[in-house]
Amino acid sequence: MKKLVLALSILAVVACKEEAPKDYVTLSGKIENKNSDSLFVVQGRTFSKTIKLNEDGTFSDTLKVKTGSYIFHDGNESTNIFLKNGYDLNLTLDTKEFDESLKFTGNGAESNNYLSKKAIMQENLVEPSLFDLEEVEFNAKVVELEKEMSDFLEKNSKNLDSTLLAREKIEIVQFKPGITGFYKQQQARAAQFASFIGKPAPSFDFENAKGGKTSLEDLKGKYVYIDVWATWCGPCIREIPSLKEIEKDFHDKNIEFVSVSVDDGRGYKADTREESAKLAHEGWKKMIAEKELGGIQIISDNGWKSEFVQGFKINGIPRFILIDPAGNVVNADAPRPSSPKLREVLNGLENI
């Protein structure tokens, strides 16, 4: 009897012994409609992890991390995730509805599901037309947006990791001065490009996705609205639906819509620059087909270094340019398709 009691006592001690916390993250899950055979978890230049996908889209791996935010990339789209050693996360994702379908379960799920909801909320939080407003209206709208962000955090902050919660509060505090500074930069930018108005536009003669080449001279006699973009540029892609609507509404007018891709290899991994550029070229044509892009689709012959791109001082995209039938610049930094101001500009053109 004494031996039985001793054995039970030992078993109880072993069962009650606290398990040592894991010094790593376990990340597993399943990807539907996978875009590649790998997933990528990155934090700046200090951390990078490649996770191999199985044929059925499942995966499982461990990561030793410093507590904080990381970029989770599937080879096409990306989102923010929050990692902390000890987390045991399982995620499911359908790449055809990336943000909307991303769901987490397991230890650490609350913080990461919060970030997923936040990504959806932020998609339409700041409309490009915000920067077309006069200063008084802009400031009033920023106050509204700041409150919207605060209300969202308050409603969804239950069980958030304390580090993430503190970071989110700081982000809200920094929102107003940050976006106001960008607004002032935009006003200065308009003045910077004013010197282009009325002058001959830098020309181009680029490969057309349908075959052959298209030059600016080919389009003389018509207004030309140019969209400078790339397949890896999120803000560029978000403008596509609005650009399609504009093209549809002005299809019988005296205007051509031209999309100039600056894809030169960025976002495509290969052993050589030439191979990377080739993949980028294939990706450009693939996106044109998948998104059923209209207008005239051409690609810069030297990426960002082409004379056209350099001539218009393009160092960030998307960038939109309006040229008159004589080949002179109407606006070197025209309103983007999603801005109501663009329709005002186009409807006000002579002989369109």
Side-chain angles (χ1 to χ4, degrees):
M1 185 67 181
K2 289 182 179 179
K3 289 182 179 179
L4 177 60
V5 172
L6 178 61
L8 291 173
S9 298
I10 293 172
L11 182 62
V13 170
V14 172
C16 294
K17 183 179 180 181
E18 185 178 352
E19 186 179 342
K22 296 177 181 177
D23 62 348
Y24 57 87
V25 174
T26 301
L27 187 61
S28 61
K30 184 171 184 179
I31 310 296
E32 300 285 349
N33 299 304
K34 60 180 183 175
N35 288 310
S36 70
D37 60 359
S38 300
L39 301 172
F40 310 94
V41 180
V42 181
Q43 187 184 65
R45 297 182 179 179
T46 61
F47 182 93
S48 179
K49 175 81 171 185
T50 300
I51 302 173
K52 291 296 181 182
L53 282 172
N54 298 319
E55 284 297 320
D56 63 355
T58 59
F59 68 94
S60 183
D61 210 332
T62 58
L63 305 83
K64 195 161 186 176
V65 301
K66 291 183 178 179
T67 300
S69 290
Y70 292 75
I71 299 295
F72 176 83
H73 199 288
D74 79 321
N76 187 45
E77 292 192 61
S78 63
T79 191
N80 288 320
I81 59 174
F82 184 81
L83 299 180
K84 183 177 183 179
N85 289 330
Y87 277 4
D88 188 358
L89 283 168
N90 183 275
L91 70 87
T92 55
L93 167 67
D94 185 341
T95 63
K96 290 187 175 180
E97 294 183 313
F98 193 96
D99 290 325
E100 293 77 9
S101 67
L102 182 59
K103 296 290 183 295
F104 293 86
T105 56
N107 184 14
E110 293 90 347
S111 292
N112 283 285
N113 283 324
Y114 162 80
L115 290 176
S116 295
K117 289 181 184 177
K118 179 186 173 186
I120 295 171
M121 181 273 291
Q122 286 188 325
E123 279 185 357
N124 299 311
L125 182 69
V126 178
E127 298 287 349
S129 56
L130 174 68
F131 301 100
D132 295 331
L133 298 175
E134 296 298 327
E135 190 169 359
V136 173
E137 294 176 292
F138 171 83
N139 289 333
K141 184 63 178 177
V142 168
V143 171
E144 289 180 22
L145 295 175
E146 191 176 42
K147 184 178 185 306
E148 188 175 339
M149 293 171 67
S150 296
D151 290 346
F152 178 84
L153 178 59
E154 184 177 351
K155 181 180 177 181
N156 296 281
S157 61
K158 186 178 180 181
N159 297 325
L160 279 192
D161 181 270
S162 59
T163 302
L164 177 59
L165 179 59
R167 191 199 71 182
E168 292 297 290
K169 289 180 178 179
I170 291 172
E171 184 177 302
I172 292 172
V173 170
Q174 294 175 338
F175 173 74
K176 186 175 181 180
I179 199 167
T180 300
F182 184 74
Y183 175 78
K184 291 179 178 178
Q185 288 178 5
Q186 291 292 92
Q187 305 306 303
R189 174 172 160 158
Q192 173 190 354
F193 293 117
S195 61
F196 282 87
I197 297 173
K199 294 180 180 178
S203 192
F204 58 77
D205 187 19
F206 295 153
E207 176 189 348
N208 190 310
K210 292 182 178 180
K213 286 188 172 185
T214 298
S215 68
L216 183 59
E217 285 69 27
D218 294 335
L219 307 174
K220 281 208 172 166
K222 291 187 176 183
Y223 286 98
V224 182
Y225 180 76
I226 299 174
D227 166 21
V228 184
W229 72 297
T231 57
W232 48 261
C233 170
C236 301
I237 293 169
R238 285 195 289 274
E239 290 294 326
I240 289 175
S242 298
L243 180 58
K244 284 184 173 182
E245 283 296 316
I246 290 285
E247 289 175 351
K248 179 182 175 183
D249 293 346
F250 285 82
H251 76 281
D252 59 347
K253 304 292 185 181
N254 188 40
I255 185 168
E256 291 283 0
F257 293 89
V258 179
S259 295
V260 178
S261 167
V262 291
D263 279 291
D264 60 358
R266 176 174 172 174
Y268 297 87
K269 292 186 177 181
D271 294 333
T272 66
R273 181 176 294 181
E274 290 74 17
E275 289 175 351
S276 182
K278 182 180 178 182
L279 290 174
H281 188 273
E282 292 171 355
W284 166 63
K285 285 198 170 183
K286 181 181 177 183
M287 185 168 286
I288 290 171
E290 288 181 346
K291 295 191 175 293
E292 299 178 339
L293 302 185
I296 297 172
Q297 298 291 330
I298 56 179
I299 188 166
S300 171
D301 59 7
N302 198 18
W304 294 82
K305 296 179 181 179
S306 71
E307 291 184 11
F308 172 78
V309 174
Q310 293 285 309
F312 269 114
K313 298 181 181 179
I314 298 171
N315 51 27
I317 52 175
R319 174 81 172 274
F320 302 93
I321 298 161
L322 183 60
I323 297 170
D324 72 16
N328 297 319
V329 177
V330 176
N331 192 334
D333 190 27
R336 57 184 61 207
S338 60
S339 170
K341 195 169 182 180
L342 178 60
R343 289 180 182 273
E344 293 178 21
V345 170
L346 297 184
N347 285 322
L349 296 174
E350 293 183 7
N351 303 318
I352 191 171

